[in-house]
């Protein structure tokens, strides 16, 4: 007969009564409830799209090669930290992730048989207080709307004194956010860089042009007696590479 167990371990007295025509009998037995491992989710981490700002330029560019939990993305890693809060060791732990229509375990197109194990992971044994990370790769539906979506993790494990495997399910949530238009931002940044280079080049040419005219005017006003030999006057011509050449006018 299925019975409800108390929440804490220990020895409990259980009575069994058998009734029949003409009488009944009752017997008392000691029920030993053993400690149970308690597997809980400590944290859930996954890449999310960064906010749109120039300070996050590196993060924005990384989204080109690194998928985030956004609509239409594939092979997004979700890492879950699991801890055993119970007083006994959980052995041979198997974790199964259950998702809905929006988020699904990733199945390689080159290996369709991976669908049999894409939602499962074997993490071994967990002692009391011990933590372990498990990572699943998931795909996000291209028509997914931004919001929170549930992930159900089912743990199956063995422990000393138990004739049958124990099981427990825990629900957690992940957030799907729209990915920024990285290509548009790259185009805008390139336009800004080109404009900045053009402004710097224009200021530089203006400064160099002013220096050349000053040198030519100061040298042209000197008489021929100020020069030796056949040098009548000279000009200093400077190019864009900051190189200057003296030209003799005979």
């Amino acid at each position: 007969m299925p019975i409800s167990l108390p929440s804490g371990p220990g020895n409990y007295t259980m009575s069994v009564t058998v009734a029949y025509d003409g009488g009944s009998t009752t017997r008392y037995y000691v029920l030993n409830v053993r400690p149970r491992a308690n597997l809980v989710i400590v944290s859930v981490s996954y890449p999310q799209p960064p906010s749109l700002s120039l300070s996050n330029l590196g993060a924005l560019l990384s989204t080109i090669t690194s998928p985030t939990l956004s609509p239409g993305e594939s092979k997004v890693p979700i890492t879950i930290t699991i801890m055993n809060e119970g007083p006994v060791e959980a052995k041979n732990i198997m974790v199964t992730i259950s998702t809905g229509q929006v988020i699904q375990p990733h199945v390689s197109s080159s290996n369709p048989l991976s669908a049999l194990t894409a939602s499962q992971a074997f993490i071994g044994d967990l002692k009391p207080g011990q933590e372990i990370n498990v990572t699943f790769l998931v795909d996000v539906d291209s028509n997914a709307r931004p919001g929170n979506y549930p992930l159900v993790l089912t743990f199956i494990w063995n422990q000393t004194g138990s004739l049958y495997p124990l099981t427990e399910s825990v629900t957690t949530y992940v957030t799907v956010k729209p990915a920024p238009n990285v290509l548009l931002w790259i185009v805008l940044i390139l336009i800004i860089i080109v404009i900045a280079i053009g402004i710097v080049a224009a200021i530089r040419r203006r400064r160099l042009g002013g220096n050349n005219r000053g040198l030519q005017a100061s040298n042209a006003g000197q008489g021929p007696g100020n020069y030796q030999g056949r040098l009548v006057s000279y000009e200093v011509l400077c190019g864009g590479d900051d190189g200057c050449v003296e030209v003799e006018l005979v």
Side-chain angles (χ1 to χ4, degrees):
M1 299 180 62
I3 61 174
S4 297
L5 296 178
S7 58
N11 294 324
Y12 298 88
T13 301
M14 181 181 66
S15 62
V16 178
T17 300
V18 178
Y20 53 91
D21 293 341
S24 66
T25 181
T26 300
R27 295 290 186 268
Y28 296 92
Y29 300 93
V30 176
L31 181 66
N32 180 17
V33 179
R34 301 182 62 86
R36 172 188 173 98
N38 183 26
L39 303 181
V40 297
I41 297 176
V42 177
S43 63
V44 180
S45 61
Y46 47 90
Q48 287 187 312
S51 58
L52 294 176
S53 63
L54 292 178
S55 60
N56 288 335
L57 180 58
L60 286 171
L61 295 177
S62 67
T63 58
I64 299 177
T65 56
S66 301
T68 59
L69 202 64
S70 305
E73 293 286 1
S74 178
K75 297 181 67 175
V76 183
I78 296 180
T79 300
I80 303 168
T81 302
I82 302 168
M83 184 174 68
N84 180 10
E85 288 187 343
V88 295
E89 182 179 12
K91 300 180 179 180
N92 303 320
I93 304 172
M94 178 68 70
V95 183
T96 302
I97 185 172
S98 300
T99 58
Q101 297 296 327
V102 174
I103 301 175
Q104 298 180 353
H106 173 74
V107 178
S108 175
S109 58
S110 60
N111 184 18
L113 293 178
S114 63
L116 300 176
T117 57
S119 60
Q120 295 180 342
F122 178 76
I123 60 176
D125 303 338
L126 275 182
K127 296 180 179 180
Q130 185 179 1
E131 295 183 0
I132 193 170
N133 293 332
V134 58
T135 300
F136 292 96
L137 296 179
V138 300
D139 298 336
V140 184
D141 188 84
S142 58
N143 296 322
R145 295 183 179 180
N148 297 326
Y149 294 90
L151 293 180
V152 179
L153 270 73
T154 301
F155 306 112
I156 302 176
W157 75 94
N158 299 314
Q159 65 180 57
T160 302
S162 176
L163 298 178
Y164 304 98
L166 301 175
T167 181
E168 185 173 354
S169 295
V170 181
T171 301
T172 185
Y173 291 85
V174 294
T175 302
V176 175
K177 294 182 179 180
N181 192 335
V182 180
L183 294 179
L184 178 60
W185 269 84
I186 293 177
V187 172
L188 292 177
I189 293 172
L190 291 177
I191 292 175
I192 294 174
I193 293 175
V194 171
I195 293 175
I197 293 175
I199 294 174
V200 172
I203 294 174
R204 185 175 180 182
R205 286 195 300 268
R206 183 176 299 177
R207 290 179 179 177
L208 292 176
N211 293 337
N212 292 342
R213 287 193 297 271
L215 289 172
Q216 293 175 10
S218 61
N219 291 324
Q222 298 180 6
N226 295 331
Y227 300 94
Q228 296 179 358
R230 57 190 183 90
L231 178 62
V232 176
S233 64
Y234 72 95
E235 294 180 352
V236 178
L237 305 179
C238 296
D241 57 351
D242 294 338
C244 300
V245 180
E246 294 183 359
V247 179
E248 296 180 355
L249 302 178
V250 181

